Amino acid sequence: MADEQGRHPSRRAFLTSAAALGAGAGLAGAARANGPDPLITEVQDWARGFGEGVDATPYGLPIRFEHDVIRRNVEWLTADTISSINFTPIHALDGTITPQGCAFERHHSGAIELAKPDYRLMVNGLVDKPLVFTYADLERFPRENHVYFCECAANSGMEWAGAQLNGAQFTHGMIHNMEYTGVPLRALLQEAGLGPAGDLSDKWVFVEGADASSNGRSIPMEKALDDVLVAFKANGEALRKEHGYPVRLVVPGWEGNMWVKWLRRIEVMDGPVESREETSKYTDVLADGTARKWTWVMDAKSVITSPSPQSPITHGPGPLVITGLAWSGHGAIRRVDVSTDGGISWQTARLSREGESKALSRFYLDIDWDGSEMLLQSRAMDDTGYVQPTKDQLREVRGLNSVYHNNGIQTWHVKTSGEAENVEVS
Ligand SMILES: Nc1nc2c(c(=O)[nH]1)N[C@H]1C(S)=C(S)[C@@H](COP(=O)(O)O)O[C@H]1N2
Ligand SMILES: [Mo]
């Protein structure tokens, strides 16, 4: 942080100088507020000798000043860390790609270590010839690269009954967005032979992992033949152990639970298995006690990552960058609106680039903050025309029994001090 680097004046001094310039001093004023002396003339410590050689860091980790930008778990959420969850520090990241080292993990029976030589993937069931692929076999199929978000269906699930966890990392951090390299599942199914094409519409695949939980899920054949990837690289390098090394399934736009890690088996079947993960879990209990099932697609959603409880405003009035993430499992983000008054009025934010299908979009709203309190909200719209609902609108349809698929609008109460808190407005 600034203090550890010893370069910036204290926050107090900074606020004083910003205040001296007065509100609305503009960008030049804000830049000058960084120190009393506009010019840096002295030779600084780090220029008096040599830095480290290229052999010091064969594989780099973030510099120590960034030690705070890490995955975190919430201890009371689960009984142990084996069947548990940690959260991406989205409040501290920018752009859209999530580095693997801080991308959330969700395990039902812990992260296993599975070496490439031991890896096998079986395709069986209603195929012409059941096959077992080694890792080397998978590498010989034509490959594709795609960026997709992976969101756990339970993301924001703790917020159904009202504002609870104080930070975007905890309310919205069960998401990551990576560039995957892999082979379309379609290619492996075709290799095994799917029989006459006409019969496929009522077929399903059951996908299973090699870990003790197996995390089995049924996927309709239409999706399996569409954009599902059998992936072995993320952001250019091998998958990390915790994300399913050496091979995981990527099921674009659909709930994270279906993205089976340590993928070991794909069975073509006549119908769904109705496994634990798609009946007692990952279904949505409605107000009348019945459960919605097959709610695979992650609806459009967004969150302001900064300012937010873990990323307060650290300067006075004047230029302020409001930023966040938006995504939709149905397609691309078309527009994001931001409100500073709890949803009474809205301004259209700037997308950092055109929305990409089933991938995170980064938005910015650059404002001249007058230093007063704000109730910050963001509202995403995707290319189907769907608009992210308020939490009240969601509860009207879904009741209060749900955990999964909470894509309601989030509110941060930003105080005059710049600190922010998780609140709900209705
Ligand atoms: N084999 C296996 N696959 C799994 C899981 C698991 O426990 N075992 N967890 C699932 C759940 S619930 C989610 S949200 C995603 C999380 O992927 P990540 O750990 O890479 O973030 O993996 C899914 N795939
Ligand atoms: Mo999940």
Side-chain angles (χ1 to χ4, degrees), residues 106 108 152-154 256-257 282:
R106 169 76 176 104
H108 291 78
C152 178
N257 185 255
Y282 299 98

Side-chain angles (χ1 to χ4, degrees), residues 214-410:
S214 87
N215 195 80
R217 288 292 306 250
S218 311
I219 301 176
M221 186 58 83
E222 193 188 352
K223 179 70 173 176
L225 295 176
D226 182 14
D227 54 4
V228 176
L229 277 184
V230 174
F232 34 84
K233 295 273 163 80
N235 300 341
E237 62 181 357
L239 289 164
R240 296 284 165 85
K241 175 176 89 173
E242 57 269 34
H243 297 123
Y245 181 95
V247 177
R248 89 171 306 165
L249 203 64
V250 167
V251 190
W254 288 25
E255 61 188 16
N257 185 255
M258 306 175 89
W259 295 46
V260 170
K261 302 191 277 191
W262 315 289
L263 181 67
R264 72 175 284 272
R265 196 169 74 92
I266 298 163
E267 181 171 350
V268 177
M269 306 184 85
D270 267 332
V273 164
E274 313 249 7
S275 70
R276 172 188 182 273
E277 302 293 335
E278 51 203 17
T279 52
S280 93
K281 305 291 170 194
Y282 299 98
T283 51
D284 309 309
V285 181
L286 301 175
D288 66 2
T290 61
R292 299 195 308 175
K293 65 173 183 176
W294 310 144
T295 48
W296 300 305
V297 181
M298 302 308 295
D299 285 322
K301 184 166 169 181
S302 67
V303 65
I304 289 172
T305 52
S306 182
S308 65
Q310 299 160 287
S311 179
I313 304 173
T314 54
H315 56 75
L320 171 68
V321 175
I322 298 172
T323 186
L325 294 166
W327 60 95
S328 168
H330 289 280
I333 289 298
R334 266 295 130 77
R335 191 173 122 191
V336 179
D337 292 337
V338 169
S339 176
T340 57
D341 54 16
I344 298 165
S345 64
W346 297 91
Q347 281 171 272
T348 298
R350 168 170 66 87
L351 296 184
S352 72
R353 60 172 173 269
E354 201 180 324
E356 293 159 47
S357 187
K358 302 165 190 175
L360 292 189
S361 279
R362 167 67 58 181
F363 65 85
Y364 297 101
L365 186 71
D366 310 294
I367 69 162
D368 189 7
W369 184 43
D370 64 5
S372 60
E373 289 193 317
M374 295 185 281
L375 287 169
L376 277 185
Q377 298 185 334
S378 62
R379 178 176 71 184
M381 274 154 265
D382 69 18
D383 58 7
T384 68
Y386 176 93
V387 180
Q388 184 183 359
T390 64
K391 290 186 181 175
D392 282 343
Q393 286 170 335
L394 262 189
R395 289 188 191 110
E396 260 170 51
V397 181
R398 304 265 303 280
L400 281 173
N401 298 328
S402 274
V403 173
Y404 307 108
H405 296 280
N406 178 356
N407 67 322
I409 290 173
Q410 174 64 42

